[in-house]
Amino acid sequence: MFDMMGMMGKVKELQDKMKQAQDEVQFLTATAESGGGLVKATANGKRNVVKLEIDESLLNPQDREMLADLVVAAVNKALDEVSEKAKEELKNKTAGLMPNLPGLDLGNFGL
């Protein structure tokens, strides 16, 4: 027989765990670099860049275009890394509550 109450309990538990994971994800950070470490970007779990470090040697008007490229590369890497950390955190928090579906995109859950 189908246990509707049990299923509703599982759904509520999943919602609670996902909310908890989403709340905790904001505290995750990832730092990535480009240009051999000359540019470093740190992003948080909300996919915001929270820190940008640029080596003094790049602060030259002739290197302006290269600097922009390095900043973009470091920021994109940091955002990708923190996104992966967030997905892993959500996966760990909801282990056993969500079906293991290949290709499941957790991005729809705010991560």
Side-chain angles (χ1 to χ4, degrees):
M1 176 177 238
F2 183 70
D3 181 10
M4 182 63 130
M5 292 306 288
M7 184 177 143
M8 295 303 287
K10 284 285 192 191
V11 169
K12 174 72 172 126
E13 184 180 357
L14 176 61
Q15 287 175 328
D16 292 344
K17 294 246 183 195
M18 287 183 69
K19 171 78 171 106
Q20 179 185 5
Q22 288 172 334
D23 290 344
E24 292 174 8
V25 158
Q26 67 183 326
F27 299 109
L28 293 176
T29 61
T31 300
E33 59 184 51
S34 65
L38 294 175
V39 176
K40 295 178 184 174
T42 302
N44 66 16
K46 289 185 168 184
R47 296 185 51 85
N48 293 317
V49 176
V50 295
K51 187 175 183 182
L52 184 63
E53 300 173 59
I54 301 171
D55 189 275
E56 283 183 28
S57 66
L58 293 174
L59 302 178
N60 181 342
Q62 291 89 349
D63 294 331
R64 198 163 115 194
E65 193 171 318
M66 180 181 67
L67 174 58
D69 290 343
L70 292 174
V71 168
V72 168
V75 167
N76 286 335
K77 285 181 190 177
L79 291 173
D80 287 346
E81 287 181 24
V82 80
S83 181
E84 284 303 313
K85 282 185 176 183
K87 285 179 185 179
E88 197 60 36
E89 180 72 16
L90 182 59
K91 182 179 163 186
N92 290 339
K93 290 284 183 193
T94 59
L97 295 174
M98 291 176 57
N100 185 12
L101 302 173
L104 178 65
D105 182 9
L106 300 176
N108 294 329
F109 298 106
L111 300 174

